[in-house]
Each structure stands twice: as structure tokens, then as C-alpha cells.
Amino acid sequence: MSASPRRKFVKRKRPVPVGDIEAEIRSGSRLGLARGITLLESRSPDDRAAAQELLLGLLPESGNSIRIGITGVPGAGKSTFIEAFGLTLAEAGHKVAVLAIDPSSTVTGGSILGDKTRMEELARHPNAFIRPSPSSGTLGGVHRKTRETMLLCEAAGYDIILIETVGVGQSETAVRGMADFFLLLVLTGAGDELQGVKKGIMELADGIIVHKADGDNVLAAKRTAREYKQFLRMLQPATPGWQTSVVPVSSIVPSGLEGVWETISRFKEQTGASGQWEARRKAQLKEWFREAIEDRLIESFFAAHGRKTQVARLEEEILHGRLTVTAAVDDLFSE
């Protein structure tokens, strides 16, 4: 008697409990918020549909935070500042969400820096939520879902969102496009070459922090702050009607942290009265929409049957000098 054939086990995908996750986020659950963000970051088509359902349900609860982009050269102490600043705000009763855009591993695509390990004290605070997201090779090192993540954090009751950039390349421009207030961290005593790098992003900054203003560096920090203020007078302000502020800050002592928050609060009040706040938010939505269109077009292009094989073949033609780049692109779009 022959043995009966073994049945192939097929794992059935359970439906995503969108309603449960939405309720958890509304209640302020950090676990529920983490589940919602994980759903947003999923590449599964089913999860993508569920994530958009979740966002749509929570959209009325979003938009009520101050979104602060934070950048600076490597070594400026961005994570140290964010922890000290975040703790100051959390202790004052604010709910603070930190979205840290980590460089991605080229092997696994995962985060390299691991900001929870670098902000241990803030991560333990009941009024704080930290989410490191791998940049995954996206433009400027900004995770493609950062904007949607902000909306979930706002729906969970977080009234201050801190977005930390990798601090290289075009990340500053990308985060400027999703933040209400853009903060640049600089150091004292930096060489002319380093100062030249920062001139390109100074026009984007609403506030500049001269960091590590402690110990023997206090006087140098004050001198550097004066120099930046003089230089800023020659630049067009990042926000019409607002003069970019410069504040010496120490995250170790600490000192100057309350002054940073007072500046941001004054900025919100002033731009709210002038209409700049609402105008910037609307401009960001338009920019987000156009970026999403571009992302979807690229996905659709490479998803076409045989496209990756075609691209690989044309790359070989280019590398062997048998085809120019422009001609290869014309070939791709000639169909």
C-alpha cells in the first residue's frame, strides 16, 4: 500500500488588525506606535494597503506638533544634544518623538548607529519615543517613510518631533522639506575648509547652535556665535521675516537648552501670526506628493517584466564602450 502524498503546508497571511493598532496609537501606546511604524515600513502590498488605511484613520489627529529638523557636521554632537534637549522638554511635560535617520548597512539594509543605544536616558523616559530608521539608500539619507511616521507620532500625542539627519550630502535639504524649524549644530575653532562646507546649509537654518560651549571652550563658543551672527546678516533668511538665531549651548553642563526652546516657541508664534507656518506646511505637502509620484514611477519602471535584465544588458554595453549613456536611456524608453 503506497503512502498518501504529503500535503504542502501553505502559511496563510493573517489580516492586519488596523483597528487595534489605531486604537493603541490613539491611546498613546509606544508599543502600538512601534507596530504602526513597522507596518508603514513594510514592502508587502497587503501591508502597504493596511498602512494607508491606518494613516487615513489617524489623519485628523495629526499635524499638531512642532517638527524640528536637526543637522550638523560629524562630531558636532547631534545625538548628545538631542538627548539633553529631549530630556529638558520631556521633563517640562512635552511628549517628544525622535526620528533618527541612520546610515544603512550595504549588506542588510539595517541601521548602523542604533540611536537607542546612544540615547539611553531619553529612551527610558515615559514622555519620549525614539525610532531609528535606516536610510536604505534613499535620497539624502532620509527614510522614505519618515513623513508618514511623523503623522503617526502626532496622532499618538507627541507634540514635538525631532528629526536627526545623517549630516552628509543632501540630507539637510531633504529634512528642511519636512521640518517647521531647521536647526544646525556647529563647532568652535573649525578650520576654513569645514566652515566652507557649512556655508551651503546656513541659508537653510532657522537656528544655529554653537555646541560644546563648556569648560575652556565657553569664551571661544561666544566668539564663534558673534561671528556667525555677523555672517548671517549677509544671507537671505531661511524663513521670510525671521532672523536666524545663534545660541551657544552645552549639553553636558547643561546650559542654553531652555534658550533654544524659547527661540523655537517664538518662531512658531511669529510665523503663525504672519501665515508663514501654514504656508510652509502646505508647501511640504505638495513636495511630498510630487516625491511620492517620482518614487512610484521608479518602482513601476523597474517592476516591468524583463526590465532588470534589460538594464543589466545596457550597463554592460556602456561599460564596454559600445553605447553611450544617453543612447542606452533612449533604448529603455523607446518602447
Side-chain angles (χ1 to χ4, degrees), residues 79 99-105 109-116 118 131-137 141-143 164-166:
S79 294
L99 307 181
I101 314 300
D102 273 359
S104 297
S105 164
S111 299
I112 293 175
L113 300 181
D115 283 79
K116 284 191 176 181
R118 294 184 292 144
R131 179 73 177 201
S133 295
S135 58
S136 303
V142 177
H143 194 277
E164 179 190 9
T165 74
V166 177

Side-chain angles (χ1 to χ4, degrees), residues 69-115:
I70 301 174
T71 192
V73 296
K78 293 189 293 294
S79 294
T80 304
F81 167 76
I82 289 172
E83 177 164 52
F85 187 49
L87 283 169
T88 298
L89 297 172
E91 288 294 329
H94 293 283
K95 292 191 68 177
V96 183
V98 178
L99 307 181
I101 314 300
D102 273 359
S104 297
S105 164
T106 56
V107 178
T108 66
S111 299
I112 293 175
L113 300 181
D115 283 79

Side-chain angles (χ1 to χ4, degrees), residues 37-250:
I37 296 172
T38 299
L39 184 64
L40 287 179
E41 295 177 350
S42 172
R43 295 181 180 272
S44 163
D46 290 339
D47 287 347
R48 175 180 289 182
Q52 295 311 305
E53 181 185 343
L54 176 66
L55 274 174
L56 190 61
L58 292 172
L59 207 55
E61 313 299 327
S62 65
N64 298 317
S65 75
I66 298 180
R67 304 164 182 173
I68 305 169
I70 301 174
T71 192
V73 296
K78 293 189 293 294
S79 294
T80 304
F81 167 76
I82 289 172
E83 177 164 52
F85 187 49
L87 283 169
T88 298
L89 297 172
E91 288 294 329
H94 293 283
K95 292 191 68 177
V96 183
V98 178
L99 307 181
I101 314 300
D102 273 359
S104 297
S105 164
T106 56
V107 178
T108 66
S111 299
I112 293 175
L113 300 181
D115 283 79
K116 284 191 176 181
T117 61
R118 294 184 292 144
M119 305 180 194
E120 292 183 2
E121 191 174 354
L122 182 60
R124 291 194 299 267
H125 200 286
N127 283 350
F129 175 81
I130 299 176
R131 179 73 177 201
S133 295
S135 58
S136 303
T138 52
L139 175 62
V142 177
H143 194 277
R144 60 185 302 175
K145 296 298 183 182
T146 302
R147 295 179 189 269
E148 293 179 343
T149 298
M150 286 194 302
L151 299 180
L152 291 192
C153 290
E154 290 169 347
Y158 290 89
D159 60 322
I160 298 174
I161 314 290
L162 304 179
I163 313 159
E164 179 190 9
T165 74
V166 177
V168 293
Q170 292 178 298
S171 61
E172 293 87 3
T173 305
V175 171
R176 165 78 279 182
M178 65 178 72
D180 301 312
F181 188 93
F182 194 57
L183 201 54
L184 169 65
L185 267 66
V186 300
L187 294 168
T188 60
D192 291 340
E193 181 181 351
L194 195 56
Q195 298 300 323
V197 172
K198 287 181 292 200
K199 287 177 184 176
I201 61 173
M202 283 179 63
E203 289 183 331
L204 303 176
D206 297 305
I208 295 177
I209 287 177
V210 182
H211 202 211
K212 303 183 181 181
D214 43 54
D216 297 335
N217 208 32
V218 173
L219 293 178
K222 291 181 179 179
R223 183 173 62 251
T224 300
R226 288 194 298 268
E227 292 172 354
Y228 271 100
K229 286 179 181 178
Q230 291 174 357
F231 184 76
L232 285 167
R233 294 193 183 102
M234 298 183 287
L235 298 179
Q236 181 177 339
T239 302
W242 172 261
Q243 181 59 52
T244 302
S245 63
V246 185
V247 183
V249 170
S250 169

Side-chain angles (χ1 to χ4, degrees), residues 147 284-294:
R147 295 179 189 269
Q284 289 171 358
L285 278 174
K286 290 180 180 179
E287 181 181 346
W288 181 7
F289 179 50
R290 290 185 173 91
E291 287 177 358
I293 292 174
E294 292 176 3

Side-chain angles (χ1 to χ4, degrees), residues 257-267:
L257 297 171
E258 292 82 0
V260 175
W261 177 241
E262 289 172 3
T263 298
I264 295 172
S265 299
R266 191 170 69 253
F267 173 87

Side-chain angles (χ1 to χ4, degrees), residues 13-19 21 39 46-47 50-51 53:
K13 183 175 177 62
R14 295 181 179 179
V16 179
V18 174
I21 297 175
L39 184 64
D46 290 339
D47 287 347
E53 181 185 343

